[in-house]
């Protein structure tokens, strides 16, 4: 897997990703302490609102940026977003009012919503080989999991020698280092083409391509399944450990580490698996494992007993395994489903639509956990996961192929295009199929 780091451009981008993630993790811890410093007992409400603002920014901003990102110099754009995030982090220690937190969080997360899908869409052009790209996806998954484990520990260590305001300085340094690493490499520019139509059509072009592609409709359903399972972990771990199990707060990281450990294990093993098997069976299996893990969690919460804590950790580990197996290959589907000029818009669509799923499942997990208890909440989220799995199984054909034979209308402007790929008839040919101006609709017989 580490062989892809021999590519200097990717190595610098990967390091930029890790450093920015650690900086973001430090900011998350510092923001919680800042909210408590300002709002006291109402800090939970402040953080809940900040999380909602984050998701609204992700869902609303990403498609707008994706519509025009392929027309902008990638390196300058990514550096600008890092600098905006650094500027917000510099401002946060000086906040004295709750409304100021909300405004700065919206700006920070809007910059992240612009940075992340553009960054993700750049990697396939840096690593065009499918095997290399698969390994890069696994490394990216490992980076996210490591951040969830390392950032809280690093923050705890730093807080022994500095105040929480100092954590924001770490965030600033992270974003500045990320910008410096991006500046240090030359990035391939996507082959930009001027898209016809209104601003509305350009803004939603990525989502339109996404929803007209069967495998991506399946991916969206699997995003829902993954959001349901991960929301149970992210939202209710602390409640389950401290309220239901009556264990100390120091045990919460162990539970989150069990989830992250399962995810990391699969990220290490997945590249070799995907070298031999297609994406669809692996991702559907991952969703099935998540559903089984949630049902197991319902049983553990109902039965209880002396072994509830180790059973709970094993459940979280299993859900982490399924989550990584479902999420990691998603970038391969996006790469296969969009031509280079449309890739930023399609990655932005994935970013926006997947976070729309979390926008639904986060409050669902929180409200159900508080109102009906842990065991029924496990059951409801397992049902949502199974629903996503079934929709994906139905929407994503088992016979999914990259190259499809298809016909075109007998129109003069299509004659040159018909010479591309393998000609199969007067008005038909076969090639790697993506939704674009020549192919507005997926072939009906596929």
């Amino acid at each position: 897997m580490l062989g892809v780091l021999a590519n200097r451009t990717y190595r610098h981008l990967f390091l930029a990703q890790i450093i920015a993630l650690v900086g973001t993790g430090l900011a998350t811890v510092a923001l919680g302490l800042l909210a408590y410093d300002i709002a006291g007992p109402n800090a939970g409400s402040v953080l809940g609102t900040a999380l909602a603002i984050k998701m609204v920014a992700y869902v609303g901003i990403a498609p707008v940026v994706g519509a025009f990102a392929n027309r902008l110099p990638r390196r300058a754009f990514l550096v600008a977003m890092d600098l905006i995030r650094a500027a917000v982090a510099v401002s946060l220690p000086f906040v004295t009012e709750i409304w100021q937190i909300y405004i700065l969080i919206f700006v920070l997360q809007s910059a992240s919503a612009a940075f992340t899908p553009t960054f993700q869409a750049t990697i396939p052009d840096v690593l065009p080989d499918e095997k290399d790209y698969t390994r890069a996806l696994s490394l990216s998954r490992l980076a996210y999991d490591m951040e969830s484990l390392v950032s809280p520990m690093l923050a705890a260590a730093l807080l022994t020698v500095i105040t929480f305001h100092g954590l924001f300085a770490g965030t600033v340094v992270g974003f500045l280092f990320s910008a410096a690493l991006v500046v240090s490499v030359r990035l391939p520019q996507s082959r930009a083409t001027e898209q016809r139509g209104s601003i509305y059509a350009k803004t939603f072009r990525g989502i339109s391509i996404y929803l007209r592609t069967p495998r991506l409709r399946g991916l969206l359903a699997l995003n829902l399944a993954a959001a349901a399972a991960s929301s149970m972990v992210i939202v209710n771990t602390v409640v389950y450990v401290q309220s239901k199990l009556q264990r100390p707060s120091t045990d919460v990281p162990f539970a989150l580490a069990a989830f992250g450990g399962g995810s990391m294990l699969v990220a290490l093993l997945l590249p070799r698996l995907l070298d031999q098997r297609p994406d669809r069976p692996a991702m559907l299996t991952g969703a099935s494992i998540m559903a089984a893990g949630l049902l197991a969690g319902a049983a553990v919460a109902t039965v209880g007993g002396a072994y509830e804590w180790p059973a709970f950790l094993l459940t979280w580990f299993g859900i982490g395994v399924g989550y990584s197996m479902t999420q990691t290959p998603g970038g391969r589907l996006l790469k296969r489903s969009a031509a280079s000029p449309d890739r930023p818009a399609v990655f932005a669509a994935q970013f926006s639509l997947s976070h729309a799923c979390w926008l639904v499942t986060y409050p669902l997990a929180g409200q159900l956990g508080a109102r009906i208890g842990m065991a029924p909440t496990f059951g409801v989220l397992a049902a949502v996961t199974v629903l996503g799995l079934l929709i994906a199984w139905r929407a994503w054909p088992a016979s999914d192929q990259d190259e499809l034979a298809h016909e075109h209308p007998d129109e003069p402007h299509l004659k040159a295009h018909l010479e591309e790929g393998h000609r199969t008839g007067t008005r038909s040919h076969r090639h790697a199929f993506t939704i674009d101006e020549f192919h507005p609709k997926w072939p009906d017989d596929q």
Side-chain angles (χ1 to χ4, degrees):
M1 187 191 301
L2 298 178
V4 294
L5 295 177
N7 182 307
R8 180 179 180 274
T9 300
Y10 175 70
R11 182 171 67 250
H12 283 224
L13 291 177
F14 181 63
L15 289 173
Q17 178 190 22
I18 290 176
I19 293 171
L21 281 173
V22 171
T24 303
L26 293 178
T28 301
V29 174
L31 183 63
L33 296 172
L34 175 64
Y36 188 81
D37 191 51
I38 294 176
N42 294 322
S45 173
V46 173
L47 288 176
T49 303
L51 183 62
I53 290 171
K54 169 184 174 179
M55 290 300 169
V56 169
Y58 279 8
V59 172
I61 298 298
V64 177
V65 174
F68 302 99
N70 66 340
R71 306 288 297 173
L72 301 172
R74 278 177 171 171
R75 186 169 64 173
F77 181 73
L78 292 173
V79 169
M81 294 304 103
D82 266 338
L83 294 179
I84 289 173
R85 294 192 291 182
V88 172
V90 167
S91 305
L92 280 169
F94 303 102
V95 164
T96 57
E97 301 291 339
I98 292 173
W99 64 268
Q100 295 170 346
I101 292 180
Y102 295 155
I103 291 175
L104 289 174
I105 288 300
F106 181 79
V107 175
L108 176 68
Q109 301 303 344
S110 295
S112 293
F115 179 95
T116 303
T118 305
F119 177 91
Q120 292 171 338
T122 303
I123 304 302
D125 292 333
V126 173
L127 299 171
D129 181 77
E130 185 78 3
K131 289 185 178 180
D132 287 343
Y133 182 54
T134 301
R135 282 149 181 75
L137 289 174
S138 291
L139 278 176
S140 182
R141 180 75 262 155
L142 280 172
Y144 281 109
D145 292 332
M146 284 299 294
E147 182 276 323
S148 67
L149 298 175
V150 171
S151 290
M153 292 188 290
L154 179 60
L158 289 173
L159 286 171
T160 62
V161 293
I162 60 174
T163 67
F164 73 85
H165 288 95
L167 295 181
F168 290 117
T171 301
V172 175
V173 171
F175 289 138
L176 291 179
F177 265 103
S178 173
L181 284 164
V182 174
V183 167
S184 70
V185 293
R186 294 174 62 89
L187 299 182
Q189 181 65 25
S190 66
R191 296 185 297 275
T193 56
E194 182 63 39
Q195 302 296 340
R196 294 187 295 269
S198 63
I199 293 178
Y200 177 89
K202 292 178 181 178
T203 299
F204 290 97
R205 177 175 175 79
I207 292 177
S208 176
I209 293 172
Y210 192 107
L211 296 178
R212 283 183 285 169
T213 304
R215 71 174 72 95
L216 295 187
R217 291 199 296 269
L219 176 60
L220 178 58
L222 291 174
N223 286 336
L224 176 63
S230 61
S231 291
M232 186 67 195
V233 174
I234 294 167
V235 174
N236 287 324
T237 294
V238 64
V239 179
Y240 197 106
V241 172
Q242 295 192 249
S243 295
K244 189 175 189 307
L245 296 176
Q246 296 292 304
R247 299 185 71 88
S249 60
T250 51
D251 281 348
V252 172
F254 289 105
L256 294 174
F259 174 80
S263 179
M264 290 171 66
L265 176 64
V266 170
L268 288 168
L269 299 176
L270 204 55
R272 183 169 295 181
L273 174 67
L274 294 178
D275 283 347
Q276 304 167 1
R277 301 177 187 278
D279 299 318
R280 184 178 184 272
M283 296 175 74
L284 294 179
T285 299
S288 301
I289 292 172
M290 287 190 295
L294 289 169
L295 291 173
V300 169
T302 301
V303 174
Y307 297 102
E308 185 175 4
W309 171 238
F312 174 75
L313 292 178
L314 187 60
T315 299
W316 255 218
F317 179 85
I319 293 175
V321 167
Y323 180 79
S324 184
M325 192 175 292
T326 303
Q327 290 288 90
T328 303
R332 287 163 49 108
L333 304 190
L334 298 170
K335 178 187 175 185
R336 289 165 51 198
S337 302
S340 182
D342 290 323
R343 210 167 275 156
V346 172
F347 271 83
Q350 161 69 2
F351 190 81
S352 177
L353 293 172
S354 63
H355 282 89
C357 294
W358 272 297
L359 189 58
V360 173
T361 57
Y362 272 148
L364 181 66
Q367 291 297 320
L368 290 178
R371 295 174 183 272
I372 65 177
M374 289 294 112
T377 302
F378 271 114
V380 171
L381 292 175
V384 175
T385 302
V386 171
L387 176 64
L389 170 62
L390 293 176
I391 293 174
W393 178 79
R394 182 72 180 85
W396 185 358
S399 59
D400 183 34
Q401 299 178 21
D402 289 344
E403 294 192 354
L404 299 178
H406 54 282
E407 290 190 354
H408 287 280
D410 188 14
E411 297 180 10
H413 75 282
L414 293 172
K415 288 184 177 180
H417 172 67
L418 277 166
E419 298 304 321
E420 299 175 6
H422 178 64
R423 194 74 175 255
T424 58
T426 306
R427 294 187 296 113
S428 62
H429 64 163
R430 181 184 185 91
H431 61 79
F433 193 94
T434 59
I435 297 294
D436 55 27
E437 61 177 325
F438 296 124
H439 311 91
K441 181 181 177 184
W442 204 262
D444 291 330
D445 56 345
Q446 303 296 327

